[in-house]
Amino acid sequence: METYRGWLESNEARGPKNRMATTKTDPKLPLTANGKKAKLYEGLTREQLIQTYRVIYTSRRIDDREILLKRQQKIYFQMSGAGHEGIGVAAGLALKAGYDWFYPYYRDRALCLALGVQPYDMFLQGVGAADDPSSGGRQMPSHWSYPALNIVTQSSPTGSQILQAVGCAEGGRYLARHPKAAEIPAGAADYRQFKNVSFQGDEVTYVSLGDGTSSEGEFWEAMNAAALGKLPVIFCVEDNGYAISVPVEVQTAGGSISRLVSGFPNFHFEEVDGTDPVASYAAFSRATRYCREGHGPAFVHAHVIRPYSHSLSDDERLYRPDAERERDAQRDPVTRTQMFLLREGILDEKGINQLEKEVEAELQIAVDRALEALPPAPESILKFVYSPDIDPASAAFETQPVVPEVPADGKKPAAKTMADLITATLRDEMKRDERIVIFGEDVADCSREEYLKRKLVKGKGGVFKLTFGLQNEFGPDRVFNAPLAEAAIVGRATGMATRGLKPVVEIQFFDYIWPAMMQIRDELSVIRWRSNNGFSCPVVIRVAIGGYLTGGAIYHSQCGESVFTHIPGLRVVFPSNSQDAAGLLRTAIRCDDPVLFLEHKRLYRESFGRAAYPGPDYMIPFGKAKIVHPGTDLTVITYGAVVPRALQAAQKLEREQGVKVELIDLRCLNPFDWDTIAASVSKTNRALVAYEDTLSWGYGAEIAARIADQLFDKLDAPVRRVAAKDVFVAYQPILEDAILPQPNDLFLAMKELSEY
Ligand SMILES: Cc1ncc(C[n+]2csc(CCOP(=O)(O)OP(=O)(O)O)c2C)c(N)n1
Ligand SMILES: [Mg+2]
């Protein structure tokens, strides 16, 4: 097994082909410029090398200043980029700010400086200032976000940026192939008005991560997706040999990530001493060229050091002996670059001192200014949870159904299933908006296009066939199958939406949404808020949900919507019938927020709630409930597949007991229609909340609590709930019936409450 130490020692023994690049092994010959002999170092001029040192030194000194400020309790957190400056500045020199795209991780201070971020901006992050351009005081320092430079907002989970970088590259390529999609059509009353997109055609996406992070599953999903798509992404693994206290040989089988990934096709690979900025620049230049020319992704494995422990909360002396740390110190990029400049006669001692003095003076001014910066106003906390530009609950999303009264053939328009109308809505929206792409597991008609072209097969279009025909109509660029990897589906969609596309992705079964949970909870829903409106990603995730399937069992019957309504920033929709599904899906697509669109499998082809297609502009605003059955004696609040069951129970209760139930279908769970609930309960004075998910801690608990809190004076009876038993859904139909709420359970609960 090759360990980190072993790697250092064996590098020299690898032979010229596989040897890690260093300046010693690959110097450029002197070139002639303006009649003078000018030596270039891997293509870098003397001025660029001086600039390189300035960035490296500035980066290190910002770390030092921040550490001091943290000790003085003037900032609240510190994460250093120390030891990673060489590879960072090299990447910044090889790539173009505001042209290429960047998903840097927390050690990339030098990269950000090289791309043009100002030290003052970094100190503003530390103090959590209102004017911090990354997040306005919402995120920790070193969580970079600079829209003008295409540095995309970063989070704290290690590795969740990687799939988004892949999606970002896909987005760029899609736009280059569909340039019209970038235009904003006149009168486009939708998210496009507020989502300017730009693309270059040959832009490269940079993403970095630590050696430890390469153990995350999402890293491997991203590598696979990038290789499959031959995408222009540079994966830069900054290998400092440790993930907090865990050394690389415990983290990575065989101790070398380069060796593990070497089998990925379509990649260009580099392994480099990332403390050497010149060798790193050479490696990055080759990687960039390969990606820019469209050959595929690149992998840069940069060996770096971590002289300042993991963070200020960590003391590496607890797990690293002095000798090991001292050996790292020999490769420190600050001293190393300084020595290089002296040795090559690019700067003398006086020049170095002068440069360092200038940096110190600049940093002093930046720190002083940042310490005076105003903090954000507490009243601003809810700003940018959702789009400030488009309110999907507004009247702008209220349109009337358009069904031809006398169709061409003279027949009444056919009542269509929910499945039919979801497909029809997707089709019409795809015609209207070229930014829409659909992908997921099995959603394409047929990945092997030639089978379709030769009419050998009809095509599939989803396990429930809701996307059937769309690949045939719109082509494989716009409707395609994804690898079986839910985090990748959501993560890639998030990256594409950041670039301005409108991915409408499918999670095949709600039961399998959990691998995507990190992307949904920690990325998709929070990107706008954490970047202080710098970035947004209004993705639509369609998910087949729910039970009552007789045989669906544990893993094809789950609900769990309250897990998602609990997430700020995410809209959650759950229609019960065809027309609502069409109207709400269109609102989901045209709005500017991420939406979880829950489609009940049992309702897809149910005879309940079929309707004619309400036309290509039919929309329903979010947060507007529907009174399915008006009444005066008891309010029942429900949604999804419980709606037809509750209706059955309500009709029976009226028939048998004369009790008039007011049945409310919420349709949209976040936002939800409090006004309709309040008006109804104020009238009936009794409330029952019914839902298919398990009873305890479910969606109904929140509704019941609000009623108890805000309508206490109106109530003549306790607020009751009917829901599934607190257990998983079983396979045997007798058990399933006993677990899920049935019409008779609803009937009994309604009867009891009406008699209370
Ligand atoms: C998903 C996730 N798990 C755990 C953590 C806590 N954590 C933060 S950094 C880190 C180590 C990362 O090591 P590496 O990827 O090698 O990067 P380095 O800090 O060494 O540059 C851990 C475990 C986290 N932020 N996210
Ligand atoms: Mg590490």
Side-chain angles (χ1 to χ4, degrees):
M1 185 168 80
E2 189 179 50
T3 61
Y4 172 62
R5 277 177 210 203
W7 170 81
L8 278 175
E9 281 143 19
S10 67
N11 186 41
E12 281 305 304
R14 287 176 190 205
K17 195 158 163 270
N18 296 319
R19 188 183 294 154
M20 175 184 73
T22 68
T23 40
K24 273 181 254 136
T25 59
D26 198 10
K28 283 281 177 295
L29 294 172
L31 295 181
T32 308
N34 302 331
K36 278 190 179 169
K37 285 249 162 141
K39 195 170 174 185
L40 287 181
Y41 300 84
E42 303 290 1
L44 290 173
T45 62
R46 295 164 75 89
E47 287 66 35
Q48 283 175 311
L49 286 165
I50 295 169
Q51 185 56 19
T52 295
Y53 181 63
R54 184 181 289 272
V55 169
I56 289 175
Y57 185 74
T58 304
S59 182
R60 182 66 61 89
R61 294 299 292 149
I62 294 175
D63 279 330
D64 294 336
R65 296 301 295 247
E66 281 190 357
I67 289 165
L68 204 64
L69 289 166
K70 173 74 177 74
R71 296 212 163 108
Q72 296 166 341
Q73 298 181 1
K74 290 181 175 160
I75 66 171
Y76 317 98
F77 187 78
Q78 207 279 332
M79 202 73 200
S80 91
H84 292 230
E85 298 97 337
I87 189 71
V89 69
L93 284 165
L95 294 161
K96 296 188 242 181
Y99 184 105
D100 295 315
W101 286 76
F102 301 89
Y103 285 76
Y105 89 119
Y106 48 83
R107 303 246 187 250
D108 278 343
R109 188 188 299 288
L111 166 72
C112 290
L113 289 169
L115 292 175
V117 178
Q118 297 301 307
Y120 172 59
D121 292 337
M122 296 189 176
F123 291 122
L124 285 179
Q125 273 194 318
V127 299
D131 287 342
D132 151 32
S134 281
S135 80
R138 290 172 172 190
Q139 286 225 85
M140 290 171 157
S142 298
H143 287 54
W144 322 109
S145 175
Y146 301 98
L149 301 171
N150 292 351
I151 299 176
V152 181
T153 168
Q154 292 306 296
S155 60
S156 299
T158 56
S160 50
Q161 73 278 22
I162 316 170
L163 285 164
Q164 291 172 38
V166 171
C168 170
E170 287 178 287
R173 184 156 75 189
Y174 180 88
L175 289 164
R177 288 179 182 171
H178 299 260
K180 272 197 156 334
E183 293 169 12
I184 303 173
D190 58 43
Y191 74 99
R192 286 175 294 180
Q193 301 164 83
F194 307 101
K195 194 76 181 171
N196 283 326
V197 304
S198 66
F199 63 97
Q200 310 293 342
D202 67 348
E203 66 266 50
V204 171
T205 302
Y206 164 98
V207 62
S208 59
L209 55 139
D211 46 293
T213 298
S214 69
S215 300
E216 292 282 0
E218 290 192 9
F219 164 74
W220 297 93
E221 292 182 20
M223 291 287 288
N224 188 41
L228 278 166
K230 286 192 168 186
L231 293 164
V233 185
I234 301 182
F235 294 76
C236 178
V237 172
E238 298 179 20
D239 183 351
N240 54 25
Y242 279 90
I244 309 186
S245 66
V246 182
V248 68
E249 72 274 16
V250 174
Q251 191 78 242
T252 304
S256 164
I257 190 65
S258 275
R259 202 185 297 155
L260 279 192
V261 300
S262 62
F264 273 101
N266 303 325
F267 264 86
H268 171 84
F269 293 101
E270 293 282 346
E271 187 170 5
V272 66
D273 182 346
T275 64
D276 177 342
V278 180
S280 296
Y281 176 73
F284 245 98
S285 299
R286 290 188 292 267
T288 303
R289 199 174 318 120
Y290 182 84
C291 292
R292 231 187 260 304
E293 287 172 0
H295 304 302
F299 188 86
V300 177
H301 181 190
H303 291 272
V304 295
I305 59 165
R306 195 197 64 181
Y308 286 5
S309 293
H310 173 71
S311 70
L312 274 193
S313 327
D314 174 46
D315 179 359
E316 67 174 6
R317 286 171 302 188
L318 296 174
Y319 52 87
R320 297 186 77 187
D322 288 348
E324 186 182 308
R325 295 172 54 243
E326 277 156 22
R327 208 185 44 196
D328 268 9
Q330 315 271 315
R331 295 166 60 225
D332 192 303
V334 175
T335 42
R336 180 173 193 161
T337 312
Q338 193 187 92
M339 296 310 287
F340 172 81
L341 295 179
L342 289 169
R343 195 173 63 238
E344 294 294 318
I346 295 168
L347 276 183
D348 59 14
E349 217 166 298
K350 215 170 119 210
I352 300 263
N353 284 339
Q354 178 63 25
L355 182 151
E356 292 180 355
K357 253 168 83 185
E358 285 165 17
V359 170
E360 299 296 348
E362 186 196 354
L363 295 190
Q364 189 58 53
I365 294 168
V367 169
D368 291 345
R369 276 181 69 207
L371 289 176
E372 282 170 13
L374 295 176
E379 311 82 78
S380 67
I381 49 176
L382 294 180
K383 248 178 127 179
F384 310 131
V385 175
Y386 300 102
S387 168
D389 302 311
I390 297 184
D391 177 6
S394 70
F397 288 88
E398 190 152 15
T399 61
Q400 295 310 308
V402 179
V403 179
E405 270 173 29
V406 186
D409 58 8
K411 286 188 203 148
K412 233 180 121 205
K416 300 281 191 184
T417 64
M418 185 192 275
D420 291 335
L421 293 201
I422 288 172
T423 309
T425 305
L426 290 172
R427 177 175 288 117
D428 276 349
E429 287 305 293
M430 288 193 82
K431 276 188 211 153
R432 179 181 174 274
D433 179 358
E434 205 180 346
R435 293 192 195 178
I436 297 174
V437 291
I438 290 182
F439 63 101
E441 292 154 17
D442 300 287
V443 301
D445 286 318
C446 180
S447 288
R448 294 182 176 163
E449 276 266 289
E450 71 273 16
Y451 294 167
L452 286 175
K453 283 196 189 122
R454 289 163 59 202
K455 300 213 181 327
L456 298 177
V457 297
K458 206 169 134 225
K460 184 167 176 73
V463 293
F464 297 102
K465 303 209 166 34
L466 269 75
T467 48
F468 175 69
L470 298 180
Q471 177 198 344
N472 246 325
E473 189 168 342
F474 298 101
D477 268 13
R478 298 192 62 195
V479 183
F480 51 92
N481 285 326
L484 207 170
E486 288 76 12
I489 292 169
V490 177
R492 287 166 62 192
T494 302
M496 289 182 201
T498 304
R499 293 295 299 270
L501 298 191
K502 174 66 81 168
V504 181
V505 296
E506 184 177 304
I507 296 291
Q508 199 163 69
F509 292 91
F510 183 88
D511 313 66
Y512 312 126
I513 200 168
W514 311 116
M517 197 61 189
M518 176 80 95
Q519 286 293 335
I520 295 173
R521 173 65 180 82
D522 281 0
E523 297 293 338
L524 180 74
S525 308
V526 70
I527 277 179
R528 189 191 290 276
W529 187 83
R530 78 177 188 220
S531 66
N532 213 11
N533 207 32
F535 291 96
S536 66
C537 48
V539 172
V540 178
I541 308 175
R542 296 180 38 248
V543 192
I545 192 170
Y548 297 111
L549 304 176
T550 52
I554 306 165
Y555 302 107
H556 294 83
S557 306
Q558 288 175 28
C559 280
E561 56 277 5
S562 64
V563 176
F564 295 89
T565 52
H566 193 63
I567 301 175
L570 184 67
R571 308 291 191 178
V572 182
V573 184
F574 202 157
S576 73
N577 60 75
S578 302
Q579 188 168 315
D580 287 355
L584 290 165
L585 180 57
R586 187 163 284 109
T587 302
I589 291 172
R590 295 190 190 180
C591 88
D592 201 18
D593 296 319
V595 181
L596 187 71
F597 193 83
L598 302 171
E599 302 170 2
H600 202 290
K601 301 186 282 282
R602 181 62 202 261
L603 297 176
Y604 271 151
R605 294 185 169 82
E606 193 98 317
S607 48
F608 170 81
R610 291 190 184 189
Y613 183 55
D617 283 309
Y618 180 58
M619 289 183 287
I620 299 172
F622 285 174
K624 295 279 179 292
K626 181 157 136 188
I627 296 178
V628 178
H629 184 272
T632 47
D633 301 331
L634 163 68
T635 300
V636 175
I637 301 134
T638 188
Y639 52 90
V642 180
V643 173
R645 287 160 180 79
L647 182 60
Q648 210 182 315
Q651 286 166 339
K652 185 175 170 201
L653 193 62
E654 186 164 352
R655 246 186 353 256
E656 292 183 4
Q657 314 272 328
V659 174
K660 291 187 167 60
V661 169
E662 182 140 290
L663 180 58
I664 297 175
D665 176 1
L666 286 177
R667 310 195 285 190
C668 183
L669 307 184
N670 182 30
F672 74 97
D673 189 347
W674 172 249
D675 290 348
T676 295
I677 295 173
S680 180
V681 175
S682 301
K683 178 175 69 179
T684 65
N685 316 111
R686 282 157 216 271
L688 176 73
V689 194
Y691 50 105
E692 184 185 332
D693 198 5
T694 42
L695 178 79
S696 301
W697 323 106
Y699 186 78
E702 178 64 30
I703 303 290
R706 295 244 186 152
I707 294 171
D709 179 11
Q710 292 180 36
L711 302 173
F712 182 74
D713 294 342
K714 308 282 185 193
L715 291 172
D716 288 342
V719 184
R720 288 265 156 86
R721 286 172 293 158
V722 177
K725 307 291 182 299
D726 286 334
V727 68
F728 295 95
V729 177
Y731 169 70
Q732 164 59 247
I734 292 172
L735 300 183
E736 184 189 64
D737 281 358
I739 290 163
L740 294 179
Q742 303 300 329
N744 197 45
D745 301 321
L746 293 154
F747 172 80
L748 292 176
M750 290 179 195
K751 183 166 174 293
E752 201 182 303
L753 203 54
S754 69
E755 289 165 355
Y756 186 90

Short mmCIF file of all heavy atoms in Angstrom, two decimals, residues 402-437:
data_model
loop_
_atom_site.label_atom_id
_atom_site.label_comp_id
_atom_site.label_asym_id
_atom_site.label_seq_id
_atom_site.Cartn_x
_atom_site.Cartn_y
_atom_site.Cartn_z
N VAL A 402 -59.06 26.50 -20.20
CA VAL A 402 -59.60 26.75 -21.55
C VAL A 402 -59.86 25.39 -22.18
O VAL A 402 -58.93 24.70 -22.59
CB VAL A 402 -58.60 27.56 -22.41
CG1 VAL A 402 -59.17 27.78 -23.81
CG2 VAL A 402 -58.29 28.89 -21.74
N VAL A 403 -61.13 25.02 -22.21
CA VAL A 403 -61.50 23.75 -22.82
C VAL A 403 -62.48 24.09 -23.94
O VAL A 403 -63.49 24.74 -23.68
CB VAL A 403 -62.19 22.82 -21.78
CG1 VAL A 403 -62.60 21.51 -22.42
CG2 VAL A 403 -61.27 22.58 -20.59
N PRO A 404 -62.17 23.72 -25.19
CA PRO A 404 -63.08 24.08 -26.28
C PRO A 404 -64.49 23.54 -26.01
O PRO A 404 -64.65 22.36 -25.68
CB PRO A 404 -62.45 23.42 -27.51
CG PRO A 404 -61.44 22.47 -26.99
CD PRO A 404 -61.05 22.90 -25.62
N GLU A 405 -65.48 24.44 -26.12
CA GLU A 405 -66.85 24.01 -25.79
C GLU A 405 -67.37 23.00 -26.81
O GLU A 405 -67.95 21.99 -26.46
CB GLU A 405 -67.76 25.23 -25.72
CG GLU A 405 -67.79 25.78 -24.30
CD GLU A 405 -68.53 27.07 -24.18
OE1 GLU A 405 -69.44 27.31 -24.98
OE2 GLU A 405 -68.16 27.84 -23.27
N VAL A 406 -67.14 23.32 -28.07
CA VAL A 406 -67.53 22.36 -29.11
C VAL A 406 -66.26 22.00 -29.89
O VAL A 406 -65.83 22.73 -30.77
CB VAL A 406 -68.59 22.96 -30.07
CG1 VAL A 406 -69.08 21.87 -31.03
CG2 VAL A 406 -69.75 23.56 -29.29
N PRO A 407 -65.62 20.91 -29.52
CA PRO A 407 -64.39 20.55 -30.24
C PRO A 407 -64.67 20.22 -31.69
O PRO A 407 -65.83 20.01 -32.08
CB PRO A 407 -63.91 19.32 -29.47
CG PRO A 407 -64.83 19.11 -28.35
CD PRO A 407 -66.04 19.94 -28.55
N ALA A 408 -63.60 20.17 -32.46
CA ALA A 408 -63.69 19.99 -33.91
C ALA A 408 -64.55 18.77 -34.27
O ALA A 408 -65.37 18.82 -35.19
CB ALA A 408 -62.30 19.85 -34.50
N ASP A 409 -64.37 17.70 -33.52
CA ASP A 409 -65.11 16.48 -33.88
C ASP A 409 -66.52 16.45 -33.29
O ASP A 409 -67.25 15.46 -33.45
CB ASP A 409 -64.32 15.24 -33.41
CG ASP A 409 -64.06 15.27 -31.91
OD1 ASP A 409 -64.61 16.15 -31.22
OD2 ASP A 409 -63.31 14.39 -31.43
N GLY A 410 -66.92 17.52 -32.63
CA GLY A 410 -68.28 17.61 -32.09
C GLY A 410 -68.49 16.83 -30.81
O GLY A 410 -69.52 16.94 -30.16
N LYS A 411 -67.48 16.04 -30.40
CA LYS A 411 -67.64 15.24 -29.18
C LYS A 411 -67.21 16.04 -27.96
O LYS A 411 -66.39 16.94 -28.06
CB LYS A 411 -66.75 13.99 -29.27
CG LYS A 411 -67.28 12.95 -30.22
CD LYS A 411 -66.41 11.68 -30.07
CE LYS A 411 -66.49 10.84 -31.32
NZ LYS A 411 -65.26 10.12 -31.58
N LYS A 412 -67.75 15.69 -26.83
CA LYS A 412 -67.34 16.32 -25.56
C LYS A 412 -65.86 16.00 -25.31
O LYS A 412 -65.43 14.88 -25.59
CB LYS A 412 -68.16 15.71 -24.42
CG LYS A 412 -68.85 16.76 -23.57
CD LYS A 412 -69.64 16.10 -22.47
CE LYS A 412 -69.12 16.60 -21.15
NZ LYS A 412 -69.31 15.77 -20.02
N PRO A 413 -65.05 16.98 -24.83
CA PRO A 413 -63.65 16.65 -24.58
C PRO A 413 -63.54 15.50 -23.57
O PRO A 413 -64.28 15.48 -22.59
CB PRO A 413 -63.07 17.95 -24.02
CG PRO A 413 -64.19 18.90 -23.87
CD PRO A 413 -65.43 18.32 -24.46
N ALA A 414 -62.63 14.58 -23.86
CA ALA A 414 -62.52 13.40 -23.01
C ALA A 414 -61.97 13.77 -21.65
O ALA A 414 -61.12 14.65 -21.54
CB ALA A 414 -61.60 12.40 -23.69
N ALA A 415 -62.47 13.09 -20.63
CA ALA A 415 -61.92 13.26 -19.28
C ALA A 415 -60.61 12.49 -19.22
O ALA A 415 -60.57 11.29 -19.50
CB ALA A 415 -62.91 12.74 -18.25
N LYS A 416 -59.54 13.18 -18.87
CA LYS A 416 -58.21 12.58 -18.91
C LYS A 416 -57.72 12.27 -17.50
O LYS A 416 -58.07 12.97 -16.54
CB LYS A 416 -57.21 13.55 -19.56
CG LYS A 416 -57.58 13.93 -20.99
CD LYS A 416 -57.17 12.84 -21.93
CE LYS A 416 -57.27 13.30 -23.38
NZ LYS A 416 -56.97 12.22 -24.29
N THR A 417 -56.83 11.29 -17.43
CA THR A 417 -56.27 10.93 -16.13
C THR A 417 -55.22 11.97 -15.70
O THR A 417 -54.73 12.76 -16.52
CB THR A 417 -55.57 9.56 -16.19
OG1 THR A 417 -54.46 9.69 -17.09
CG2 THR A 417 -56.51 8.47 -16.65
N MET A 418 -54.85 11.87 -14.45
CA MET A 418 -53.78 12.74 -13.95
C MET A 418 -52.49 12.47 -14.72
O MET A 418 -51.76 13.41 -15.07
CB MET A 418 -53.55 12.50 -12.45
CG MET A 418 -52.55 13.43 -11.84
SD MET A 418 -52.02 12.95 -10.19
CE MET A 418 -53.28 13.66 -9.20
N ALA A 419 -52.22 11.22 -15.01
CA ALA A 419 -51.02 10.87 -15.78
C ALA A 419 -51.05 11.57 -17.14
O ALA A 419 -50.06 12.19 -17.56
CB ALA A 419 -50.93 9.35 -15.95
N ASP A 420 -52.21 11.50 -17.82
CA ASP A 420 -52.33 12.14 -19.15
C ASP A 420 -52.04 13.64 -19.07
O ASP A 420 -51.34 14.20 -19.91
CB ASP A 420 -53.77 12.00 -19.69
CG ASP A 420 -54.13 10.57 -20.05
OD1 ASP A 420 -53.20 9.79 -20.33
OD2 ASP A 420 -55.34 10.25 -20.02
N LEU A 421 -52.62 14.27 -18.07
CA LEU A 421 -52.51 15.74 -18.02
C LEU A 421 -51.13 16.20 -17.56
O LEU A 421 -50.67 17.27 -17.97
CB LEU A 421 -53.61 16.34 -17.14
CG LEU A 421 -55.03 16.19 -17.68
CD1 LEU A 421 -55.97 17.21 -17.05
CD2 LEU A 421 -55.13 16.30 -19.20
N ILE A 422 -50.46 15.40 -16.78
CA ILE A 422 -49.07 15.76 -16.43
C ILE A 422 -48.22 15.68 -17.70
O ILE A 422 -47.43 16.59 -17.99
CB ILE A 422 -48.53 14.84 -15.30
CG1 ILE A 422 -49.22 15.21 -13.98
CG2 ILE A 422 -47.01 14.96 -15.18
CD1 ILE A 422 -48.91 14.26 -12.82
N THR A 423 -48.40 14.63 -18.47
CA THR A 423 -47.65 14.51 -19.73
C THR A 423 -47.97 15.67 -20.66
O THR A 423 -47.06 16.28 -21.25
CB THR A 423 -47.99 13.17 -20.44
OG1 THR A 423 -47.84 12.12 -19.49
CG2 THR A 423 -47.10 12.94 -21.63
N ALA A 424 -49.25 15.99 -20.79
CA ALA A 424 -49.65 17.08 -21.70
C ALA A 424 -49.05 18.40 -21.25
O ALA A 424 -48.60 19.22 -22.07
CB ALA A 424 -51.17 17.18 -21.75
N THR A 425 -49.01 18.62 -19.95
CA THR A 425 -48.45 19.87 -19.42
C THR A 425 -46.95 19.93 -19.69
O THR A 425 -46.43 20.97 -20.12
CB THR A 425 -48.74 19.98 -17.91
OG1 THR A 425 -50.14 19.83 -17.71
CG2 THR A 425 -48.28 21.30 -17.35
N LEU A 426 -46.27 18.82 -19.44
CA LEU A 426 -44.83 18.80 -19.72
C LEU A 426 -44.57 19.10 -21.19
O LEU A 426 -43.69 19.89 -21.54
CB LEU A 426 -44.23 17.43 -19.36
CG LEU A 426 -44.15 17.09 -17.86
CD1 LEU A 426 -43.72 15.63 -17.68
CD2 LEU A 426 -43.17 18.01 -17.13
N ARG A 427 -45.37 18.49 -22.05
CA ARG A 427 -45.17 18.67 -23.49
C ARG A 427 -45.34 20.14 -23.88
O ARG A 427 -44.50 20.73 -24.56
CB ARG A 427 -46.14 17.80 -24.26
CG ARG A 427 -46.04 17.98 -25.78
CD ARG A 427 -46.92 17.02 -26.54
NE ARG A 427 -46.39 15.66 -26.49
CZ ARG A 427 -47.01 14.63 -25.93
NH1 ARG A 427 -48.21 14.79 -25.39
NH2 ARG A 427 -46.45 13.44 -25.92
N ASP A 428 -46.44 20.75 -23.42
CA ASP A 428 -46.71 22.14 -23.80
C ASP A 428 -45.66 23.09 -23.22
O ASP A 428 -45.26 24.06 -23.87
CB ASP A 428 -48.11 22.56 -23.33
CG ASP A 428 -49.17 22.13 -24.33
OD1 ASP A 428 -48.79 21.72 -25.45
OD2 ASP A 428 -50.36 22.20 -24.00
N GLU A 429 -45.20 22.81 -22.01
CA GLU A 429 -44.18 23.69 -21.42
C GLU A 429 -42.86 23.53 -22.15
O GLU A 429 -42.12 24.49 -22.34
CB GLU A 429 -44.03 23.40 -19.92
CG GLU A 429 -45.20 23.90 -19.09
CD GLU A 429 -45.49 25.39 -19.28
OE1 GLU A 429 -44.64 26.22 -18.89
OE2 GLU A 429 -46.55 25.73 -19.84
N MET A 430 -42.55 22.31 -22.57
CA MET A 430 -41.29 22.12 -23.32
C MET A 430 -41.33 22.85 -24.65
O MET A 430 -40.31 23.36 -25.12
CB MET A 430 -41.03 20.62 -23.55
CG MET A 430 -40.62 19.91 -22.27
SD MET A 430 -39.97 18.29 -22.60
CE MET A 430 -38.28 18.67 -23.05
N LYS A 431 -42.51 22.89 -25.26
CA LYS A 431 -42.65 23.63 -26.52
C LYS A 431 -42.43 25.12 -26.28
O LYS A 431 -41.87 25.83 -27.10
CB LYS A 431 -44.08 23.45 -27.07
CG LYS A 431 -44.28 22.21 -27.87
CD LYS A 431 -45.67 22.24 -28.52
CE LYS A 431 -46.20 20.84 -28.65
NZ LYS A 431 -47.65 20.76 -28.65
N ARG A 432 -42.90 25.58 -25.15
CA ARG A 432 -42.89 27.01 -24.86
C ARG A 432 -41.52 27.51 -24.39
O ARG A 432 -41.16 28.65 -24.61
CB ARG A 432 -43.93 27.24 -23.74
CG ARG A 432 -44.07 28.65 -23.26
CD ARG A 432 -45.11 28.68 -22.14
NE ARG A 432 -45.16 30.02 -21.57
CZ ARG A 432 -44.36 30.44 -20.60
NH1 ARG A 432 -43.46 29.62 -20.09
NH2 ARG A 432 -44.46 31.67 -20.16
N ASP A 433 -40.75 26.62 -23.74
CA ASP A 433 -39.53 27.07 -23.05
C ASP A 433 -38.40 26.08 -23.33
O ASP A 433 -38.39 24.97 -22.77
CB ASP A 433 -39.84 27.16 -21.54
CG ASP A 433 -38.63 27.59 -20.72
OD1 ASP A 433 -37.54 27.79 -21.31
OD2 ASP A 433 -38.77 27.73 -19.49
N GLU A 434 -37.45 26.51 -24.14
CA GLU A 434 -36.36 25.60 -24.52
C GLU A 434 -35.36 25.39 -23.40
O GLU A 434 -34.43 24.59 -23.52
CB GLU A 434 -35.66 26.16 -25.77
CG GLU A 434 -34.97 25.09 -26.59
CD GLU A 434 -34.28 25.62 -27.84
OE1 GLU A 434 -34.54 26.78 -28.23
OE2 GLU A 434 -33.46 24.88 -28.40
N ARG A 435 -35.53 26.11 -22.31
CA ARG A 435 -34.61 25.87 -21.18
C ARG A 435 -34.98 24.62 -20.39
O ARG A 435 -34.21 24.18 -19.53
CB ARG A 435 -34.63 27.07 -20.23
CG ARG A 435 -34.05 28.32 -20.85
CD ARG A 435 -33.84 29.39 -19.80
NE ARG A 435 -33.62 30.68 -20.42
CZ ARG A 435 -33.44 31.80 -19.74
NH1 ARG A 435 -33.46 31.79 -18.43
NH2 ARG A 435 -33.24 32.94 -20.38
N ILE A 436 -36.15 24.07 -20.67
CA ILE A 436 -36.58 22.89 -19.89
C ILE A 436 -35.85 21.65 -20.40
O ILE A 436 -35.86 21.35 -21.59
CB ILE A 436 -38.11 22.69 -20.00
CG1 ILE A 436 -38.83 23.89 -19.39
CG2 ILE A 436 -38.53 21.39 -19.33
CD1 ILE A 436 -40.34 23.86 -19.58
N VAL A 437 -35.23 20.93 -19.47
CA VAL A 437 -34.69 19.61 -19.77
C VAL A 437 -35.27 18.63 -18.76
O VAL A 437 -35.51 18.99 -17.61
CB VAL A 437 -33.13 19.55 -19.72
CG1 VAL A 437 -32.52 20.34 -20.86
CG2 VAL A 437 -32.60 20.06 -18.39
#
